[in-house]
């Protein structure tokens, strides 16, 4: 049951070779859909400020920074072991990012970002996959509470205070969570501009913009 990526200590994501270990979720191909959407939607203006919430191995943040050397990326995680690994990945790839230990927005309070991205924990606590394929990966990176939506509640509640006017928020979500995530976002003042499927044809990414005040 041990994920191959933990045995090898590496996984490829968006053409980057990343170090991975039991402190982080193994980067998954469906998350590349989020990276592609972010790159398409990010303003071409240099110096865009991007925040990755719950960066884990750093996969999303590193992929974005590799494709756009002009952007200013902050990646946060609540787990020191995950951050240590993400920092090592950045150093090995010679990519400059800011890494902060943070419970969602706590360490970036008062800052504003042009784009927030996140692949948060979104599996419902009672999901039977926790006894099978997901058993070896960190529960904190996967378990989204009773309905799997707890992380979205936190991320969305804080988003208006962390986005620039017209700023964007892009999240990965579970195959059956699109409508629920869009409804939560609407209640937080975010307009859904795109809802994307992953390469397996499953609902996977939602793209929002902060409604003008
Ligand atoms: N896509 C992952 C899985 O079920 C879940 C990742 C997450 O919770 N962010 O395998």
């Amino acid at each position: 049951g041990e994920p191959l990526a933990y045995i090898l200590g590496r996984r490829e994501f968006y053409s980057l070779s990343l170090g991975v270990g039991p402190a982080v979720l193994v980067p998954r191909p469906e998350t590349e859909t989020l990276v592609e959407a972010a790159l398409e939607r990010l303003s071409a203006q240099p110096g865009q400020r991007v925040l990755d919430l719950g960066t884990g191995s750093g996969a999303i943040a590193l992929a974005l920074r590799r494709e756009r050397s002009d952007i200013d990326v902050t990646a946060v995680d609540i787990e020191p072991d995950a951050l240590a690994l993400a920092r090592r990945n950045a150093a090995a790839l010679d990519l400059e990012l800011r890494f902060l230990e943070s419970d969602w927005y706590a360490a970036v309070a008062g800052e504003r970002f042009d784009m927030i991205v996140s692949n948060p924990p979104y599996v419902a606590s009672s999901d039977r996959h926790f006894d099978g394929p997901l058993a070896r990966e960190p529960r904190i990176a996967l378990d989204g509470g009773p309905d799997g939506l707890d992380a979205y509640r936190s991320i969305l509640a804080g988003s208006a205070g962390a986005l620039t006017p017209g700023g964007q928020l892009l999240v990965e979500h579970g195959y059956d969570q699109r409508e629920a995530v869009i409804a939560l976002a609407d209640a937080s003042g975010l307009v859904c501009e795109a809802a994307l499927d992953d390469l397996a044809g499953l609902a996977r990414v939602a793209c929002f913009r902060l409604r003008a005040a």
Side-chain angles (χ1 to χ4, degrees), residues 25 28 30-31 119-123 129 134 137 141-144 152 172-173 204:
L25 189 77
R28 296 184 172 32
E30 57 265 32
T31 304
N119 172 21
Y122 57 68
V123 180
H129 291 101
L134 300 178
E137 290 179 276
L142 288 161
D143 191 336
Y152 301 109
E172 180 175 325
H173 58 71
R204 190 61 68 194

PDB file of all heavy atoms in Angstrom, residues 25 28 30-31 119-123 129 134 137 141-144 152 172-173 204, ligand 1:
ATOM      1  N   LEU A  25       1.211  15.229   0.558  1.00  0.00           N
ATOM      2  CA  LEU A  25       0.399  14.538  -0.434  1.00  0.00           C
ATOM      3  C   LEU A  25       1.267  14.311  -1.681  1.00  0.00           C
ATOM      4  O   LEU A  25       2.038  15.187  -2.062  1.00  0.00           O
ATOM      5  CB  LEU A  25      -0.773  15.459  -0.801  1.00  0.00           C
ATOM      6  CG  LEU A  25      -1.889  14.900  -1.667  1.00  0.00           C
ATOM      7  CD1 LEU A  25      -2.781  14.011  -0.812  1.00  0.00           C
ATOM      8  CD2 LEU A  25      -2.719  16.041  -2.251  1.00  0.00           C
ATOM      9  N   ARG A  28      -0.619  15.051  -7.798  1.00  0.00           N
ATOM     10  CA  ARG A  28      -1.436  14.250  -8.704  1.00  0.00           C
ATOM     11  C   ARG A  28      -1.626  14.961 -10.032  1.00  0.00           C
ATOM     12  O   ARG A  28      -1.680  16.188 -10.069  1.00  0.00           O
ATOM     13  CB  ARG A  28      -2.797  14.023  -8.058  1.00  0.00           C
ATOM     14  CG  ARG A  28      -2.666  13.181  -6.763  1.00  0.00           C
ATOM     15  CD  ARG A  28      -3.965  12.907  -6.223  1.00  0.00           C
ATOM     16  NE  ARG A  28      -4.171  12.013  -5.121  1.00  0.00           N
ATOM     17  CZ  ARG A  28      -3.441  11.710  -4.070  1.00  0.00           C
ATOM     18  NH1 ARG A  28      -2.240  12.219  -3.920  1.00  0.00           N
ATOM     19  NH2 ARG A  28      -3.879  10.893  -3.149  1.00  0.00           N
ATOM     20  N   GLU A  30      -4.221  15.459 -11.764  1.00  0.00           N
ATOM     21  CA  GLU A  30      -5.388  16.351 -11.895  1.00  0.00           C
ATOM     22  C   GLU A  30      -5.074  17.775 -11.424  1.00  0.00           C
ATOM     23  O   GLU A  30      -5.723  18.739 -11.840  1.00  0.00           O
ATOM     24  CB  GLU A  30      -6.628  15.801 -11.163  1.00  0.00           C
ATOM     25  CG  GLU A  30      -6.466  15.519  -9.681  1.00  0.00           C
ATOM     26  CD  GLU A  30      -6.102  14.063  -9.384  1.00  0.00           C
ATOM     27  OE1 GLU A  30      -5.404  13.433 -10.205  1.00  0.00           O
ATOM     28  OE2 GLU A  30      -6.517  13.560  -8.313  1.00  0.00           O
ATOM     29  N   THR A  31      -4.055  17.899 -10.576  1.00  0.00           N
ATOM     30  CA  THR A  31      -3.690  19.234 -10.081  1.00  0.00           C
ATOM     31  C   THR A  31      -2.993  20.060 -11.173  1.00  0.00           C
ATOM     32  O   THR A  31      -2.944  21.284 -11.101  1.00  0.00           O
ATOM     33  CB  THR A  31      -2.830  19.083  -8.812  1.00  0.00           C
ATOM     34  OG1 THR A  31      -3.579  18.298  -7.868  1.00  0.00           O
ATOM     35  CG2 THR A  31      -2.489  20.413  -8.180  1.00  0.00           C
ATOM     36  N   ASN A 119      -4.967  23.651  -3.535  1.00  0.00           N
ATOM     37  CA  ASN A 119      -5.511  22.297  -3.599  1.00  0.00           C
ATOM     38  C   ASN A 119      -5.648  21.842  -2.156  1.00  0.00           C
ATOM     39  O   ASN A 119      -4.762  21.215  -1.594  1.00  0.00           O
ATOM     40  CB  ASN A 119      -4.569  21.360  -4.367  1.00  0.00           C
ATOM     41  CG  ASN A 119      -5.026  19.908  -4.284  1.00  0.00           C
ATOM     42  OD1 ASN A 119      -6.193  19.635  -4.012  1.00  0.00           O
ATOM     43  ND2 ASN A 119      -4.098  18.980  -4.489  1.00  0.00           N
ATOM     44  N   PRO A 120      -6.750  22.221  -1.514  1.00  0.00           N
ATOM     45  CA  PRO A 120      -6.890  21.954  -0.076  1.00  0.00           C
ATOM     46  C   PRO A 120      -7.371  20.528   0.175  1.00  0.00           C
ATOM     47  O   PRO A 120      -7.731  19.824  -0.771  1.00  0.00           O
ATOM     48  CB  PRO A 120      -7.974  22.956   0.319  1.00  0.00           C
ATOM     49  CG  PRO A 120      -8.870  23.016  -0.867  1.00  0.00           C
ATOM     50  CD  PRO A 120      -7.964  22.858  -2.075  1.00  0.00           C
ATOM     51  N   PRO A 121      -7.385  20.100   1.433  1.00  0.00           N
ATOM     52  CA  PRO A 121      -7.988  18.800   1.742  1.00  0.00           C
ATOM     53  C   PRO A 121      -9.484  18.848   1.431  1.00  0.00           C
ATOM     54  O   PRO A 121     -10.162  19.780   1.867  1.00  0.00           O
ATOM     55  CB  PRO A 121      -7.745  18.634   3.244  1.00  0.00           C
ATOM     56  CG  PRO A 121      -7.488  20.000   3.768  1.00  0.00           C
ATOM     57  CD  PRO A 121      -6.875  20.769   2.632  1.00  0.00           C
ATOM     58  N   TYR A 122      -9.980  17.880   0.654  1.00  0.00           N
ATOM     59  CA  TYR A 122     -11.405  17.938   0.304  1.00  0.00           C
ATOM     60  C   TYR A 122     -12.120  16.592   0.350  1.00  0.00           C
ATOM     61  O   TYR A 122     -13.243  16.459  -0.127  1.00  0.00           O
ATOM     62  CB  TYR A 122     -11.612  18.620  -1.050  1.00  0.00           C
ATOM     63  CG  TYR A 122     -10.900  18.038  -2.256  1.00  0.00           C
ATOM     64  CD1 TYR A 122     -11.247  16.785  -2.767  1.00  0.00           C
ATOM     65  CD2 TYR A 122      -9.903  18.764  -2.907  1.00  0.00           C
ATOM     66  CE1 TYR A 122     -10.622  16.281  -3.896  1.00  0.00           C
ATOM     67  CE2 TYR A 122      -9.264  18.267  -4.037  1.00  0.00           C
ATOM     68  CZ  TYR A 122      -9.626  17.022  -4.537  1.00  0.00           C
ATOM     69  OH  TYR A 122      -8.998  16.533  -5.651  1.00  0.00           O
ATOM     70  N   VAL A 123     -11.473  15.580   0.898  1.00  0.00           N
ATOM     71  CA  VAL A 123     -12.120  14.270   0.994  1.00  0.00           C
ATOM     72  C   VAL A 123     -12.928  14.231   2.301  1.00  0.00           C
ATOM     73  O   VAL A 123     -12.431  14.647   3.359  1.00  0.00           O
ATOM     74  CB  VAL A 123     -11.060  13.147   0.973  1.00  0.00           C
ATOM     75  CG1 VAL A 123     -11.727  11.779   1.070  1.00  0.00           C
ATOM     76  CG2 VAL A 123     -10.198  13.236  -0.290  1.00  0.00           C
ATOM     77  N   HIS A 129     -11.974   5.544   1.178  1.00  0.00           N
ATOM     78  CA  HIS A 129     -10.604   5.526   0.630  1.00  0.00           C
ATOM     79  C   HIS A 129      -9.536   5.752   1.704  1.00  0.00           C
ATOM     80  O   HIS A 129      -8.374   5.431   1.497  1.00  0.00           O
ATOM     81  CB  HIS A 129     -10.459   6.570  -0.471  1.00  0.00           C
ATOM     82  CG  HIS A 129     -11.252   6.229  -1.705  1.00  0.00           C
ATOM     83  ND1 HIS A 129     -12.476   6.818  -1.980  1.00  0.00           N
ATOM     84  CD2 HIS A 129     -11.027   5.336  -2.692  1.00  0.00           C
ATOM     85  CE1 HIS A 129     -12.945   6.311  -3.103  1.00  0.00           C
ATOM     86  NE2 HIS A 129     -12.102   5.410  -3.562  1.00  0.00           N
ATOM     87  N   LEU A 134      -5.712   5.898   0.271  1.00  0.00           N
ATOM     88  CA  LEU A 134      -5.227   7.152   0.863  1.00  0.00           C
ATOM     89  C   LEU A 134      -4.608   6.956   2.249  1.00  0.00           C
ATOM     90  O   LEU A 134      -4.170   7.916   2.878  1.00  0.00           O
ATOM     91  CB  LEU A 134      -6.382   8.166   0.961  1.00  0.00           C
ATOM     92  CG  LEU A 134      -7.045   8.557  -0.369  1.00  0.00           C
ATOM     93  CD1 LEU A 134      -8.209   9.524  -0.116  1.00  0.00           C
ATOM     94  CD2 LEU A 134      -6.034   9.194  -1.322  1.00  0.00           C
ATOM     95  N   GLU A 137      -1.044   8.532   3.138  1.00  0.00           N
ATOM     96  CA  GLU A 137      -0.753   9.950   2.937  1.00  0.00           C
ATOM     97  C   GLU A 137      -1.263  10.762   4.124  1.00  0.00           C
ATOM     98  O   GLU A 137      -2.118  10.319   4.871  1.00  0.00           O
ATOM     99  CB  GLU A 137      -1.375  10.431   1.621  1.00  0.00           C
ATOM    100  CG  GLU A 137      -0.650   9.828   0.420  1.00  0.00           C
ATOM    101  CD  GLU A 137      -1.253  10.265  -0.901  1.00  0.00           C
ATOM    102  OE1 GLU A 137      -2.236   9.646  -1.335  1.00  0.00           O
ATOM    103  OE2 GLU A 137      -0.733  11.216  -1.479  1.00  0.00           O
ATOM    104  N   ALA A 141      -3.688  16.587   4.857  1.00  0.00           N
ATOM    105  CA  ALA A 141      -3.665  17.079   3.473  1.00  0.00           C
ATOM    106  C   ALA A 141      -4.883  16.627   2.684  1.00  0.00           C
ATOM    107  O   ALA A 141      -5.106  17.084   1.562  1.00  0.00           O
ATOM    108  CB  ALA A 141      -2.391  16.586   2.775  1.00  0.00           C
ATOM    109  N   LEU A 142      -5.677  15.723   3.248  1.00  0.00           N
ATOM    110  CA  LEU A 142      -6.781  15.104   2.504  1.00  0.00           C
ATOM    111  C   LEU A 142      -8.152  15.305   3.132  1.00  0.00           C
ATOM    112  O   LEU A 142      -9.155  15.434   2.434  1.00  0.00           O
ATOM    113  CB  LEU A 142      -6.529  13.589   2.421  1.00  0.00           C
ATOM    114  CG  LEU A 142      -5.401  13.142   1.494  1.00  0.00           C
ATOM    115  CD1 LEU A 142      -4.958  11.732   1.841  1.00  0.00           C
ATOM    116  CD2 LEU A 142      -5.850  13.215   0.043  1.00  0.00           C
ATOM    117  N   ASP A 143      -8.203  15.278   4.473  1.00  0.00           N
ATOM    118  CA  ASP A 143      -9.482  15.231   5.185  1.00  0.00           C
ATOM    119  C   ASP A 143     -10.120  16.623   5.267  1.00  0.00           C
ATOM    120  O   ASP A 143      -9.631  17.500   5.978  1.00  0.00           O
ATOM    121  CB  ASP A 143      -9.241  14.652   6.589  1.00  0.00           C
ATOM    122  CG  ASP A 143     -10.533  14.314   7.314  1.00  0.00           C
ATOM    123  OD1 ASP A 143     -11.592  14.902   6.984  1.00  0.00           O
ATOM    124  OD2 ASP A 143     -10.477  13.464   8.219  1.00  0.00           O
ATOM    125  N   GLY A 144     -11.221  16.789   4.563  1.00  0.00           N
ATOM    126  CA  GLY A 144     -11.909  18.079   4.535  1.00  0.00           C
ATOM    127  C   GLY A 144     -13.087  18.170   5.483  1.00  0.00           C
ATOM    128  O   GLY A 144     -13.964  19.009   5.299  1.00  0.00           O
ATOM    129  N   TYR A 152     -12.660  24.810   2.265  1.00  0.00           N
ATOM    130  CA  TYR A 152     -13.200  25.876   1.396  1.00  0.00           C
ATOM    131  C   TYR A 152     -13.858  26.967   2.231  1.00  0.00           C
ATOM    132  O   TYR A 152     -13.781  28.146   1.889  1.00  0.00           O
ATOM    133  CB  TYR A 152     -14.195  25.310   0.381  1.00  0.00           C
ATOM    134  CG  TYR A 152     -13.564  24.267  -0.507  1.00  0.00           C
ATOM    135  CD1 TYR A 152     -13.895  22.924  -0.378  1.00  0.00           C
ATOM    136  CD2 TYR A 152     -12.587  24.623  -1.434  1.00  0.00           C
ATOM    137  CE1 TYR A 152     -13.289  21.961  -1.168  1.00  0.00           C
ATOM    138  CE2 TYR A 152     -11.971  23.667  -2.223  1.00  0.00           C
ATOM    139  CZ  TYR A 152     -12.328  22.336  -2.080  1.00  0.00           C
ATOM    140  OH  TYR A 152     -11.713  21.391  -2.844  1.00  0.00           O
ATOM    141  N   GLU A 172      -8.783  23.615  -6.523  1.00  0.00           N
ATOM    142  CA  GLU A 172      -9.128  22.255  -6.923  1.00  0.00           C
ATOM    143  C   GLU A 172     -10.216  21.771  -5.961  1.00  0.00           C
ATOM    144  O   GLU A 172     -10.262  22.197  -4.809  1.00  0.00           O
ATOM    145  CB  GLU A 172      -7.885  21.353  -6.818  1.00  0.00           C
ATOM    146  CG  GLU A 172      -8.175  19.908  -7.224  1.00  0.00           C
ATOM    147  CD  GLU A 172      -6.934  19.018  -7.240  1.00  0.00           C
ATOM    148  OE1 GLU A 172      -5.835  19.504  -7.600  1.00  0.00           O
ATOM    149  OE2 GLU A 172      -7.071  17.829  -6.912  1.00  0.00           O
ATOM    150  N   HIS A 173     -11.100  20.874  -6.446  1.00  0.00           N
ATOM    151  CA  HIS A 173     -12.137  20.331  -5.558  1.00  0.00           C
ATOM    152  C   HIS A 173     -12.485  18.920  -5.980  1.00  0.00           C
ATOM    153  O   HIS A 173     -12.052  18.438  -7.043  1.00  0.00           O
ATOM    154  CB  HIS A 173     -13.373  21.236  -5.580  1.00  0.00           C
ATOM    155  CG  HIS A 173     -13.964  21.424  -6.941  1.00  0.00           C
ATOM    156  ND1 HIS A 173     -14.635  20.416  -7.604  1.00  0.00           N
ATOM    157  CD2 HIS A 173     -13.949  22.484  -7.796  1.00  0.00           C
ATOM    158  CE1 HIS A 173     -15.024  20.859  -8.788  1.00  0.00           C
ATOM    159  NE2 HIS A 173     -14.612  22.104  -8.940  1.00  0.00           N
ATOM    160  N   ARG A 204     -13.255  19.473 -11.530  1.00  0.00           N
ATOM    161  CA  ARG A 204     -12.041  19.495 -10.688  1.00  0.00           C
ATOM    162  C   ARG A 204     -11.551  20.879 -10.269  1.00  0.00           C
ATOM    163  O   ARG A 204     -10.953  21.028  -9.211  1.00  0.00           O
ATOM    164  CB  ARG A 204     -10.906  18.777 -11.450  1.00  0.00           C
ATOM    165  CG  ARG A 204      -9.668  18.515 -10.636  1.00  0.00           C
ATOM    166  CD  ARG A 204      -9.920  17.625  -9.455  1.00  0.00           C
ATOM    167  NE  ARG A 204     -10.245  16.284  -9.883  1.00  0.00           N
ATOM    168  CZ  ARG A 204     -10.784  15.365  -9.058  1.00  0.00           C
ATOM    169  NH1 ARG A 204     -11.033  15.654  -7.795  1.00  0.00           N
ATOM    170  NH2 ARG A 204     -11.077  14.175  -9.505  1.00  0.00           N
TER     171      ARG A 204
HETATM  172  N1  LIG B   1      -7.392  14.178  -5.456  1.00  0.00           N
HETATM  173  C1  LIG B   1      -7.041  13.627  -4.188  1.00  0.00           C
HETATM  174  C2  LIG B   1      -7.565  12.219  -4.094  1.00  0.00           C
HETATM  175  O1  LIG B   1      -8.583  11.841  -3.779  1.00  0.00           O
HETATM  176  C3  LIG B   1      -7.525  14.472  -3.038  1.00  0.00           C
HETATM  177  C4  LIG B   1      -6.654  15.629  -2.876  1.00  0.00           C
HETATM  178  C5  LIG B   1      -7.121  16.588  -1.859  1.00  0.00           C
HETATM  179  O2  LIG B   1      -7.849  16.294  -0.915  1.00  0.00           O
HETATM  180  N2  LIG B   1      -6.714  17.765  -2.043  1.00  0.00           N
HETATM  181  O3  LIG B   1      -6.969  11.310  -4.344  1.00  0.00           O
END
